Coordinates of all heavy atoms in Angstrom, one line a residue:
M289 N 5.8 7.9 -6.2 CA 4.9 7.2 -5.3 C 3.7 8.2 -5.1 O 3.8 9.4 -5.0 CB 5.6 7.0 -3.9 CG 4.6 6.3 -2.9 SD 5.4 6.1 -1.4 CE 5.1 7.6 -0.6
A290 N 2.5 7.6 -5.0 CA 1.4 8.4 -4.7 C 1.6 9.0 -3.4 O 2.3 8.5 -2.5 CB 0.1 7.5 -4.7
D291 N 1.0 10.1 -3.2 CA 1.2 10.9 -1.9 C 0.3 10.3 -0.8 O -0.6 10.9 -0.3 CB 0.8 12.3 -2.1 CG 1.3 13.2 -1.0 OD1 2.1 12.7 -0.2 OD2 1.0 14.4 -1.0
I292 N 0.6 9.0 -0.4 CA -0.2 8.3 0.5 C 0.0 8.7 1.9 O -0.8 8.4 2.8 CB 0.1 6.8 0.4 CG1 1.5 6.5 0.7 CG2 -0.3 6.3 -1.0 CD1 1.8 5.0 0.6
A293 N 1.0 9.4 2.3 CA 1.2 9.8 3.7 C 0.7 11.2 4.0 O 0.7 11.6 5.2 CB 2.7 9.8 4.0
R294 N 0.1 11.9 3.1 CA -0.4 13.2 3.4 C -1.9 13.3 3.4 O -2.5 14.3 3.2 CB 0.2 14.2 2.3 CG 1.7 14.3 2.4 CD 2.2 15.5 1.7 NE 3.6 15.6 1.8 CZ 4.3 16.2 2.8 NH1 3.6 16.8 3.8 NH2 5.6 16.2 2.8
R295 N -2.5 12.2 3.7 CA -4.0 12.2 3.8 C -4.3 12.9 5.1 O -3.6 12.9 6.1 CB -4.5 10.8 3.9 CG -4.1 10.0 2.7 CD -4.7 8.7 2.7 NE -5.7 8.7 1.7 CZ -6.7 7.8 1.7 NH1 -6.9 7.0 2.6 NH2 -7.6 7.9 0.7
A296 N -5.5 13.5 5.1 CA -6.0 14.2 6.3 C -6.0 13.3 7.5 O -6.5 12.1 7.3 CB -7.4 14.8 6.0
G297 N -5.6 13.7 8.6 CA -5.6 12.9 9.8 C -4.4 12.0 10.0 O -4.3 11.4 11.1
A298 N -3.5 11.9 9.0 CA -2.3 11.1 9.2 C -1.4 11.8 10.2 O -1.0 13.0 10.0 CB -1.6 10.9 7.9
P299 N -1.0 11.2 11.3 CA -0.1 11.8 12.2 C 1.2 12.3 11.5 O 1.8 11.5 10.7 CB 0.2 10.7 13.2 CG -0.9 9.8 13.1 CD -1.3 9.9 11.6
E300 N 1.7 13.4 11.9 CA 2.9 14.0 11.2 C 4.1 13.1 11.3 O 4.9 13.0 10.4 CB 3.2 15.3 11.8 CG 4.3 16.0 11.0 CD 4.4 17.5 11.3 OE1 3.5 18.1 11.9 OE2 5.5 18.1 11.0
Q301 N 4.3 12.3 12.4 CA 5.5 11.5 12.6 C 5.5 10.4 11.5 O 6.5 9.8 11.3 CB 5.6 10.9 14.0 CG 4.5 9.8 14.3 CD 3.3 10.4 15.0 OE1 3.1 11.6 14.9 NE2 2.6 9.7 15.8
H302 N 4.4 10.1 10.9 CA 4.4 9.1 9.8 C 4.7 9.7 8.4 O 4.7 9.0 7.5 CB 3.0 8.4 9.8 CG 2.7 7.7 11.0 ND1 3.5 6.6 11.4 CD2 1.7 7.8 11.9 CE1 3.0 6.1 12.5 NE2 1.9 6.8 12.9
W303 N 5.0 11.0 8.4 CA 5.2 11.6 7.1 C 6.7 11.6 6.6 O 7.0 12.1 5.6 CB 4.8 13.1 7.1 CG 3.3 13.2 7.2 CD1 2.4 12.3 7.5 CD2 2.6 14.4 7.0 NE1 1.1 12.8 7.5 CE2 1.2 14.1 7.2 CE3 2.9 15.7 6.7 CZ2 0.2 15.1 7.1 CZ3 1.9 16.7 6.5 CH2 0.6 16.3 6.7
T304 N 7.6 11.0 7.4 CA 9.0 10.9 7.0 C 9.3 9.7 6.2 O 10.2 9.7 5.4 CB 9.9 11.1 8.2 OG1 9.6 10.0 9.1 CG2 9.7 12.4 8.9
W305 N 8.6 8.6 6.5 CA 9.0 7.3 5.9 C 8.9 7.3 4.4 O 9.6 6.6 3.7 CB 8.3 6.1 6.5 CG 6.8 6.2 6.4 CD1 5.9 6.6 7.4 CD2 6.0 5.8 5.3 NE1 4.6 6.5 6.9 CE2 4.6 6.0 5.6 CE3 6.3 5.2 4.1 CZ2 3.6 5.7 4.8 CZ3 5.2 4.9 3.2 CH2 3.9 5.1 3.6
P306 N 7.9 8.1 3.7 CA 7.8 8.0 2.3 C 9.1 8.4 1.6 O 9.3 8.0 0.4 CB 6.7 8.9 1.9 CG 5.8 8.9 3.2 CD 6.8 8.9 4.3
A307 N 10.0 9.2 2.2 CA 11.2 9.6 1.6 C 12.1 8.4 1.3 O 13.0 8.5 0.4 CB 12.0 10.6 2.5
E308 N 11.9 7.3 2.0 CA 12.7 6.1 1.8 C 12.0 5.0 0.9 O 12.5 3.9 0.8 CB 13.1 5.5 3.1 CG 13.9 6.4 3.9 CD 14.2 5.8 5.3 OE1 14.7 4.6 5.3 OE2 13.9 6.4 6.3
A309 N 10.8 5.4 0.4 CA 10.0 4.4 -0.3 C 10.6 3.9 -1.6 O 11.1 4.8 -2.4 CB 8.6 5.0 -0.6
A310 N 10.6 2.7 -1.9 CA 11.2 2.1 -3.1 C 10.4 2.6 -4.3 O 10.9 2.6 -5.4 CB 11.3 0.6 -3.0
C311 N 9.2 2.9 -4.1 CA 8.3 3.3 -5.3 C 8.4 4.8 -5.6 O 7.7 5.3 -6.4 CB 6.9 2.9 -5.0 SG 6.2 3.6 -3.4
R312 N 9.3 5.5 -4.9 CA 9.5 6.9 -5.2 C 10.0 7.2 -6.6 O 9.8 8.2 -7.2 CB 10.5 7.6 -4.2 CG 9.9 8.0 -2.9 CD 10.9 8.7 -2.0 NE 11.5 9.8 -2.6 CZ 11.0 11.1 -2.5 NH1 9.9 11.3 -1.8 NH2 11.6 12.1 -3.0
T313 N 10.7 6.2 -7.1 CA 11.2 6.3 -8.5 C 10.7 5.1 -9.3 O 10.1 4.2 -8.7 CB 12.8 6.2 -8.5 OG1 13.2 5.0 -7.9 CG2 13.4 7.4 -7.8
G314 N 10.8 5.1 -10.5 CA 10.3 4.1 -11.4 C 8.8 4.3 -11.8 O 8.3 5.3 -11.7
D315 N 8.3 3.2 -12.3 CA 6.9 3.3 -12.9 C 5.9 3.1 -11.8 O 5.6 2.0 -11.3 CB 6.8 2.2 -13.9 CG 5.4 2.2 -14.6 OD1 4.6 3.1 -14.4 OD2 5.1 1.2 -15.3
S316 N 5.3 4.2 -11.4 CA 4.3 4.2 -10.3 C 2.9 3.6 -10.8 O 2.1 3.2 -10.0 CB 4.0 5.6 -9.7 OG 3.5 6.4 -10.7
S317 N 2.8 3.4 -12.1 CA 1.5 2.9 -12.6 C 1.3 1.4 -12.2 O 0.2 0.9 -12.2 CB 1.4 3.0 -14.1 OG 2.3 2.1 -14.7
V318 N 2.3 0.7 -11.8 CA 2.1 -0.7 -11.3 C 1.4 -0.8 -10.0 O 0.9 -1.8 -9.7 CB 3.5 -1.5 -11.2 CG1 4.1 -1.6 -12.6 CG2 4.4 -0.9 -10.2
F319 N 1.4 0.3 -9.3 CA 0.7 0.3 -7.9 C -0.8 0.6 -8.0 O -1.5 0.2 -7.1 CB 1.4 1.3 -7.0 CG 2.8 0.9 -6.7 CD1 3.9 1.3 -7.4 CD2 3.0 0.0 -5.6 CE1 5.1 0.9 -7.2 CE2 4.3 -0.4 -5.3 CZ 5.4 0.0 -6.1
L320 N -1.2 1.2 -9.1 CA -2.6 1.5 -9.3 C -3.1 1.0 -10.6 O -2.5 1.4 -11.6 CB -2.9 3.0 -9.2 CG -2.7 3.7 -7.8 CD1 -2.7 5.2 -7.9 CD2 -3.7 3.2 -6.8
G321 N -4.1 0.3 -10.7 CA -4.5 -0.3 -11.9 C -5.5 0.6 -12.7 O -5.8 1.7 -12.2
R322 N -5.9 0.2 -13.8 CA -6.9 0.9 -14.6 C -8.3 0.3 -14.3 O -8.4 -0.9 -14.0 CB -6.6 0.7 -16.1 CG -5.3 1.3 -16.5 CD -5.1 1.1 -18.1 NE -5.7 -0.1 -18.6 CZ -5.0 -1.3 -18.7 NH1 -3.7 -1.3 -18.4 NH2 -5.5 -2.4 -19.2
A323 N -9.3 1.1 -14.6 CA -10.7 0.6 -14.3 C -11.0 -0.6 -15.2 O -11.8 -1.5 -14.7 CB -11.7 1.7 -14.5
D324 N -10.5 -0.6 -16.4 CA -10.8 -1.7 -17.3 C -9.8 -2.9 -17.3 O -9.9 -3.8 -18.1 CB -10.9 -1.2 -18.7 CG -9.6 -0.6 -19.2 OD1 -8.7 -0.4 -18.4 OD2 -9.5 -0.4 -20.4
E325 N -8.9 -2.9 -16.3 CA -7.9 -3.9 -16.2 C -8.5 -5.2 -15.6 O -9.4 -5.2 -14.8 CB -6.8 -3.4 -15.3 CG -5.6 -4.3 -15.1 CD -4.7 -3.7 -14.1 OE1 -5.1 -3.2 -13.0 OE2 -3.5 -3.6 -14.4
G326 N -7.9 -6.3 -16.1 CA -8.4 -7.6 -15.6 C -7.5 -8.7 -16.0 O -6.5 -8.5 -16.8
G327 N -7.8 -9.9 -15.6 CA -7.1 -11.1 -16.0 C -5.6 -11.0 -15.8 O -5.1 -10.6 -14.8
A328 N -4.9 -11.5 -16.9 CA -3.4 -11.6 -16.8 C -2.7 -10.3 -16.6 O -1.7 -10.2 -15.9 CB -2.9 -12.3 -18.1
D329 N -3.3 -9.2 -17.2 CA -2.6 -7.9 -17.0 C -2.7 -7.5 -15.5 O -1.7 -6.9 -15.0 CB -3.4 -6.8 -17.8 CG -3.1 -7.0 -19.3 OD1 -2.2 -7.7 -19.7 OD2 -3.9 -6.4 -20.1
L330 N -3.8 -7.7 -14.9 CA -4.0 -7.3 -13.5 C -3.0 -8.1 -12.6 O -2.3 -7.5 -11.8 CB -5.4 -7.6 -13.0 CG -5.7 -7.5 -11.5 CD1 -5.5 -6.0 -11.1 CD2 -7.1 -8.0 -11.2
E331 N -2.9 -9.4 -12.9 CA -2.0 -10.2 -12.1 C -0.6 -9.9 -12.3 O 0.2 -9.8 -11.3 CB -2.3 -11.7 -12.3 CG -3.6 -12.2 -11.9 CD -3.9 -11.8 -10.4 OE1 -3.0 -12.1 -9.6 OE2 -5.0 -11.3 -10.1
E332 N -0.2 -9.6 -13.5 CA 1.2 -9.2 -13.8 C 1.6 -7.9 -13.2 O 2.6 -7.7 -12.6 CB 1.4 -9.2 -15.3 CG 2.8 -8.8 -15.7 CD 3.9 -9.7 -15.1 OE1 3.6 -10.9 -14.9 OE2 5.0 -9.2 -14.7
R333 N 0.6 -6.9 -13.2 CA 0.9 -5.6 -12.6 C 1.1 -5.8 -11.1 O 2.0 -5.2 -10.5 CB -0.2 -4.7 -12.9 CG 0.0 -3.3 -12.3 CD -1.1 -2.3 -12.5 NE -2.4 -2.8 -11.9 CZ -2.7 -2.9 -10.6 NH1 -1.8 -2.4 -9.7 NH2 -3.9 -3.3 -10.2
R334 N 0.2 -6.6 -10.5 CA 0.3 -6.8 -9.1 C 1.6 -7.5 -8.7 O 2.2 -7.1 -7.7 CB -1.0 -7.5 -8.6 CG -2.2 -6.7 -8.5 CD -3.4 -7.4 -8.0 NE -4.5 -6.5 -7.7 CZ -5.7 -6.9 -7.3 NH1 -5.9 -8.2 -7.2 NH2 -6.6 -6.1 -7.1
R335 N 2.0 -8.4 -9.4 CA 3.2 -9.1 -9.1 C 4.4 -8.2 -9.2 O 5.3 -8.2 -8.3 CB 3.5 -10.3 -10.2 CG 3.2 -11.7 -9.6 CD 3.7 -12.8 -10.5 NE 3.2 -12.7 -11.9 CZ 2.0 -13.2 -12.2 NH1 1.2 -13.7 -11.3 NH2 1.6 -13.1 -13.4
A336 N 4.4 -7.3 -10.2 CA 5.5 -6.3 -10.3 C 5.5 -5.3 -9.2 O 6.5 -5.0 -8.6 CB 5.3 -5.5 -11.6
A337 N 4.3 -4.9 -8.7 CA 4.2 -4.0 -7.6 C 4.7 -4.7 -6.3 O 5.5 -4.1 -5.5 CB 2.8 -3.4 -7.4
K338 N 4.2 -5.9 -6.1 CA 4.6 -6.6 -4.9 C 6.1 -6.9 -4.8 O 6.7 -6.9 -3.8 CB 3.8 -7.9 -4.8 CG 2.4 -7.6 -4.4 CD 1.6 -8.9 -4.1 CE 0.3 -8.7 -3.5 NZ -0.3 -9.9 -2.9
A339 N 6.7 -7.1 -6.0 CA 8.2 -7.3 -6.0 C 8.9 -6.0 -5.6 O 9.9 -6.1 -4.9 CB 8.6 -7.7 -7.5
V340 N 8.4 -4.9 -6.0 CA 9.0 -3.6 -5.5 C 8.8 -3.5 -4.0 O 9.8 -3.2 -3.2 CB 8.4 -2.4 -6.2 CG1 9.0 -1.1 -5.6 CG2 8.7 -2.5 -7.7
C341 N 7.6 -3.8 -3.5 CA 7.3 -3.7 -2.1 C 8.2 -4.6 -1.3 O 8.6 -4.3 -0.2 CB 5.8 -4.0 -1.8 SG 4.7 -2.8 -2.5
A342 N 8.4 -5.8 -1.8 CA 9.2 -6.8 -1.1 C 10.6 -6.3 -0.7 O 11.2 -6.7 0.3 CB 9.3 -8.1 -1.9
G343 N 11.1 -5.4 -1.6 CA 12.5 -4.9 -1.3 C 12.5 -3.5 -0.7 O 13.5 -2.9 -0.6
C344 N 11.3 -3.1 -0.3 CA 11.2 -1.7 0.2 C 11.6 -1.6 1.7 O 11.1 -2.4 2.5 CB 9.8 -1.2 0.0 SG 9.5 0.5 0.6
A345 N 12.4 -0.6 2.0 CA 12.9 -0.5 3.4 C 11.8 0.0 4.3 O 12.0 -0.1 5.6 CB 14.1 0.5 3.4
V346 N 10.7 0.6 3.8 CA 9.7 1.1 4.7 C 8.4 0.3 4.5 O 7.3 0.9 4.7 CB 9.5 2.6 4.5 CG1 10.7 3.4 5.0 CG2 9.2 3.0 3.0
R347 N 8.5 -0.9 4.1 CA 7.2 -1.7 3.8 C 6.3 -1.8 5.1 O 5.1 -1.7 5.0 CB 7.6 -3.1 3.4 CG 6.4 -4.0 3.0 CD 6.9 -5.3 2.4 NE 7.8 -6.0 3.3 CZ 7.4 -6.9 4.1 NH1 6.1 -7.2 4.3 NH2 8.3 -7.6 4.9
V348 N 6.9 -2.0 6.2 CA 6.1 -2.1 7.5 C 5.4 -0.8 7.7 O 4.2 -0.8 8.0 CB 7.0 -2.5 8.7 CG1 6.3 -2.4 10.0 CG2 7.6 -3.9 8.5
E349 N 6.1 0.3 7.6 CA 5.4 1.6 7.9 C 4.3 1.9 6.8 O 3.3 2.4 7.2 CB 6.5 2.8 7.8 CG 7.5 2.8 8.9 CD 8.6 1.8 8.7 OE1 8.6 1.0 7.7 OE2 9.6 1.9 9.5
C350 N 4.6 1.5 5.6 CA 3.6 1.7 4.5 C 2.4 0.9 4.8 O 1.3 1.4 4.7 CB 4.3 1.4 3.2 SG 3.1 1.5 1.8
R351 N 2.6 -0.4 5.1 CA 1.5 -1.3 5.3 C 0.7 -0.8 6.5 O -0.6 -0.8 6.5 CB 1.9 -2.7 5.5 CG 0.8 -3.7 5.7 CD 1.2 -5.1 5.9 NE 1.9 -5.6 4.7 CZ 2.3 -6.9 4.6 NH1 2.1 -7.7 5.6 NH2 2.9 -7.3 3.5
R352 N 1.3 -0.4 7.6 CA 0.7 0.1 8.8 C -0.2 1.3 8.5 O -1.3 1.4 8.9 CB 1.7 0.4 9.8 CG 1.2 0.8 11.2 CD 2.2 1.0 12.2 NE 2.9 -0.3 12.5 CZ 4.2 -0.4 12.8 NH1 5.0 0.6 12.7 NH2 4.6 -1.6 13.1
H353 N 0.4 2.2 7.7 CA -0.3 3.4 7.3 C -1.6 3.1 6.4 O -2.7 3.6 6.7 CB 0.6 4.4 6.5 CG -0.1 5.6 6.1 ND1 -0.2 6.7 6.9 CD2 -0.6 5.9 4.9 CE1 -0.9 7.6 6.2 NE2 -1.1 7.2 5.0
A354 N -1.4 2.2 5.5 CA -2.5 1.8 4.6 C -3.6 1.1 5.4 O -4.8 1.4 5.1 CB -2.0 0.8 3.5
L355 N -3.3 0.3 6.4 CA -4.3 -0.3 7.2 C -4.9 0.7 8.1 O -6.2 0.7 8.3 CB -3.7 -1.4 8.0 CG -3.3 -2.7 7.2 CD1 -2.4 -3.6 8.0 CD2 -4.5 -3.4 6.6
A356 N -4.1 1.6 8.7 CA -4.7 2.6 9.7 C -5.6 3.6 9.0 O -6.6 4.0 9.6 CB -3.5 3.3 10.3
T357 N -5.3 3.9 7.7 CA -6.2 4.9 7.0 C -7.2 4.2 6.1 O -7.9 4.9 5.4 CB -5.3 5.8 6.1 OG1 -4.6 5.0 5.2 CG2 -4.3 6.6 7.0
R358 N -7.2 2.9 6.1 CA -8.0 2.1 5.3 C -8.0 2.5 3.8 O -9.0 2.8 3.2 CB -9.5 2.1 5.8 CG -9.6 1.5 7.1 CD -11.0 1.1 7.5 NE -11.0 0.4 8.8 CZ -11.9 -0.5 9.2 NH1 -12.9 -0.8 8.3 NH2 -11.8 -1.0 10.3
E359 N -6.7 2.6 3.4 CA -6.4 3.0 2.0 C -7.2 2.1 1.0 O -7.0 0.9 1.1 CB -4.9 2.9 1.7 CG -4.5 3.2 0.3 CD -5.0 4.5 -0.3 OE1 -4.7 5.5 0.3 OE2 -5.6 4.5 -1.3
P360 N -8.1 2.7 0.2 CA -9.0 1.8 -0.6 C -8.4 1.4 -1.9 O -8.9 0.5 -2.6 CB -10.2 2.7 -0.8 CG -9.7 4.1 -0.8 CD -8.5 4.1 0.2
Y361 N -7.3 2.0 -2.3 CA -6.8 1.8 -3.7 C -5.3 1.4 -3.7 O -4.5 1.8 -2.9 CB -7.0 3.0 -4.6 CG -8.4 3.5 -4.6 CD1 -8.7 4.7 -4.1 CD2 -9.4 2.8 -5.3 CE1 -10.0 5.2 -4.1 CE2 -10.7 3.3 -5.3 CZ -11.0 4.5 -4.7 OH -12.3 4.9 -4.8
G362 N -5.0 0.5 -4.7 CA -3.7 0.2 -5.0 C -3.0 -0.8 -4.1 O -3.5 -1.3 -3.1
I363 N -1.8 -1.2 -4.5 CA -0.9 -2.0 -3.7 C -0.2 -1.1 -2.7 O 0.4 -0.1 -3.1 CB 0.2 -2.7 -4.6 CG1 -0.4 -3.5 -5.8 CG2 1.1 -3.5 -3.8 CD1 -1.1 -4.7 -5.4
R364 N -0.3 -1.4 -1.5 CA 0.4 -0.7 -0.4 C 1.0 -1.7 0.6 O 0.3 -2.6 1.1 CB -0.6 0.2 0.3 CG -1.3 1.2 -0.5 CD -0.4 2.3 -0.9 NE -1.1 3.3 -1.7 CZ -0.8 3.7 -2.9 NH1 0.2 3.1 -3.6 NH2 -1.5 4.6 -3.6
G365 N 2.3 -1.5 0.8 CA 2.9 -2.4 1.8 C 2.9 -3.8 1.4 O 3.0 -4.7 2.2
G366 N 2.8 -4.0 0.1 CA 2.8 -5.4 -0.4 C 1.4 -6.1 -0.4 O 1.3 -7.3 -0.7
L367 N 0.4 -5.3 -0.1 CA -1.0 -5.9 0.0 C -1.9 -5.2 -1.1 O -1.8 -4.0 -1.2 CB -1.6 -5.7 1.4 CG -0.9 -6.4 2.6 CD1 -1.7 -6.0 3.8 CD2 -0.9 -7.9 2.4
T368 N -2.7 -6.0 -1.7 CA -3.7 -5.5 -2.6 C -4.9 -4.9 -1.8 O -5.0 -5.1 -0.6 CB -4.3 -6.6 -3.5 OG1 -5.0 -7.5 -2.7 CG2 -3.2 -7.3 -4.3
E369 N -5.7 -4.2 -2.5 CA -6.9 -3.6 -1.9 C -7.7 -4.8 -1.3 O -8.2 -4.6 -0.1 CB -7.8 -3.0 -2.9 CG -7.2 -1.9 -3.8 CD -6.6 -2.4 -5.1 OE1 -5.9 -3.4 -5.1 OE2 -6.8 -1.7 -6.1
E370 N -7.9 -5.9 -2.0 CA -8.7 -7.0 -1.5 C -8.1 -7.6 -0.3 O -8.8 -8.0 0.6 CB -8.9 -8.0 -2.6 CG -9.7 -7.6 -3.8 CD -8.9 -6.8 -4.8 OE1 -7.7 -6.7 -4.7 OE2 -9.5 -6.4 -5.8
E371 N -6.8 -7.7 -0.3 CA -6.1 -8.3 0.9 C -6.2 -7.5 2.1 O -6.5 -8.0 3.2 CB -4.6 -8.6 0.6 CG -4.4 -9.7 -0.5 CD -3.0 -9.7 -1.0 OE1 -2.3 -8.7 -1.0 OE2 -2.6 -10.8 -1.5
R372 N -6.2 -6.2 1.9 CA -6.4 -5.3 3.1 C -7.8 -5.3 3.6 O -8.1 -5.4 4.8 CB -6.0 -3.8 2.8 CG -4.5 -3.6 2.5 CD -4.1 -2.2 2.5 NE -4.8 -1.4 1.5 CZ -4.5 -1.3 0.2 NH1 -3.4 -1.9 -0.2 NH2 -5.2 -0.5 -0.6
R373 N -8.7 -5.3 2.6 CA -10.2 -5.4 3.0 C -10.5 -6.7 3.7 O -11.2 -6.7 4.7 CB -11.0 -5.3 1.7 CG -12.2 -4.4 1.9 CD -13.0 -4.1 0.7 NE -12.7 -4.7 -0.6 CZ -12.0 -4.0 -1.5 NH1 -11.7 -2.7 -1.4 NH2 -11.7 -4.5 -2.7
A374 N -9.8 -7.8 3.3 CA -10.1 -9.1 3.9 C -9.6 -9.1 5.4 O -10.2 -9.7 6.2 CB -9.4 -10.2 3.1
L375 N -8.5 -8.4 5.6 CA -8.0 -8.3 7.0 C -9.1 -7.6 7.9 O -9.3 -8.1 9.0 CB -6.7 -7.6 7.1 CG -5.5 -8.3 6.5 CD1 -4.3 -7.4 6.4 CD2 -5.2 -9.5 7.3
F376 N -9.7 -6.6 7.4 CA -10.7 -5.9 8.2 C -12.0 -6.7 8.3 O -12.6 -6.7 9.3 CB -11.0 -4.5 7.6 CG -9.9 -3.5 7.9 CD1 -9.1 -3.1 6.9 CD2 -9.7 -3.1 9.2 CE1 -8.0 -2.2 7.2 CE2 -8.7 -2.2 9.5 CZ -7.9 -1.8 8.5
T377 N -12.3 -7.4 7.2 CA -13.6 -8.2 7.2 C -13.4 -9.3 8.3 O -14.4 -9.6 9.0 CB -13.8 -8.8 5.8 OG1 -14.0 -7.7 4.9 CG2 -15.1 -9.6 5.8
R378 N -12.3 -9.9 8.4 CA -12.0 -10.9 9.3 C -11.8 -10.4 10.7 O -11.7 -11.1 11.7 CB -10.8 -11.8 8.9 CG -11.1 -12.6 7.7 CD -10.1 -13.7 7.5 NE -8.7 -13.3 7.7 CZ -7.9 -13.1 6.7 NH1 -8.2 -13.3 5.5 NH2 -6.6 -12.7 6.9
G379 N -11.6 -9.0 10.8 CA -11.3 -8.4 12.1 C -9.9 -8.7 12.6 O -9.6 -8.7 13.8
T380 N -9.0 -9.0 11.6 CA -7.6 -9.4 12.0 C -6.6 -8.4 11.5 O -5.4 -8.8 11.4 CB -7.3 -10.8 11.5 OG1 -7.4 -10.8 10.1 CG2 -8.2 -11.8 12.2
A381 N -7.0 -7.2 11.1 CA -6.0 -6.3 10.6 C -5.0 -5.9 11.7 O -5.3 -5.3 12.7 CB -6.7 -5.0 10.1
P382 N -3.7 -6.4 11.5 CA -2.7 -6.2 12.6 C -2.0 -4.8 12.5 O -0.8 -4.8 12.3 CB -1.8 -7.3 12.3 CG -1.8 -7.5 10.8 CD -3.3 -7.1 10.4
V383 N -2.8 -3.8 12.7 CA -2.2 -2.4 12.5 C -1.0 -2.2 13.4 O 0.0 -1.6 13.0 CB -3.3 -1.4 12.8 CG1 -2.7 0.0 12.8 CG2 -4.4 -1.5 11.7
S384 N -1.1 -2.7 14.6 CA 0.0 -2.4 15.5 C 1.2 -3.4 15.5 O 2.2 -3.2 16.0 CB -0.5 -2.4 17.0 OG -1.0 -3.6 17.3
R385 N 1.0 -4.5 14.7 CA 2.1 -5.5 14.6 C 2.2 -6.0 13.2 O 2.4 -7.2 13.0 CB 1.8 -6.6 15.6 CG 0.5 -7.3 15.4 CD 0.2 -8.4 16.5 NE -1.1 -8.9 16.4 CZ -1.5 -9.8 15.5 NH1 -0.6 -10.3 14.7 NH2 -2.7 -10.2 15.5
V386 N 2.2 -5.1 12.3 CA 2.4 -5.5 10.9 C 3.9 -5.9 10.7 O 4.8 -5.2 11.1 CB 2.1 -4.3 10.0 CG1 2.4 -4.7 8.5 CG2 0.6 -4.0 10.1
A387 N 4.1 -7.0 10.1 CA 5.5 -7.4 9.8 C 5.7 -7.5 8.3 O 4.8 -7.6 7.5 CB 5.7 -8.8 10.4
Ligands
SF4_1078 S1 5.9 -0.9 0.6 FE1 5.4 -0.7 -1.6 S2 3.8 0.9 -1.8 FE2 4.7 1.0 0.2 S3 6.3 2.6 0.1 FE3 7.3 0.6 -0.2 S4 7.3 0.3 -2.5 FE4 5.8 1.9 -2.0

C-alpha cells in the first residue's frame, strides 16, 4: 500500500489503520494508474482496485483520511480521484460520516 497515512499533518491516531489495509499485500499498481493509461485499461484497473477496497476492513478510515487530506491520486477507500474531487466540488464531502 502506498504510504498514505504518513503525510504531513495526519493525526497520529490515524496511523494505525493502515496495518489492516487489504492493499498491504498484492499488486499495488491497481491503485495508481499510469500517465498514459486510458479507456478499457483504466476502467479495468479501477474495477480491480475497488473490488479490493470493497472487502477492506479499514475502508471507512481510509476514505475518511483521503477526504480529509484531499488525496489527489489513486483509488482510496473505494473512490477514484474524480469521485473524491466531485464530493468537494459539490460541497458534500462527508468527512465525518463516511460509510
Ligand atoms: S480501502 Fe482500499 S485503498 Fe484504502 S486501505 Fe483499504 S484496500 Fe487500501
Side-chain angles (χ1 to χ4, degrees):
M289 180 180 87
D291 195 8
I292 59 178
R294 295 195 181 272
R295 302 182 111 203
E300 188 166 341
Q301 68 266 24
H302 296 298
W303 290 14
T304 57
W305 62 264
E308 299 178 52
C311 55
R312 276 181 59 90
T313 58
D315 181 9
S316 62
S317 69
V318 297
F319 294 90
L320 293 169
R322 301 181 322 268
D324 63 343
E325 183 182 48
D329 288 345
L330 172 66
E331 292 308 314
E332 180 54 35
R333 180 186 58 76
R334 285 180 167 177
R335 256 193 303 279
K338 286 186 170 197
V340 176
C341 293
C344 180
V346 292
R347 184 173 56 92
V348 171
E349 291 84 350
C350 176
R351 183 179 293 187
R352 185 175 292 143
H353 180 82
L355 291 170
T357 61
R358 296 198 177 209
E359 172 58 52
Y361 303 112
I363 304 288
R364 301 287 183 241
L367 298 176
T368 66
E369 304 92 317
E370 293 86 359
E371 290 167 337
R372 292 193 304 273
R373 221 174 0 258
L375 289 172
F376 284 109
T377 301
R378 292 196 312 256
T380 57
V383 173
S384 63
R385 54 183 175 82
V386 174

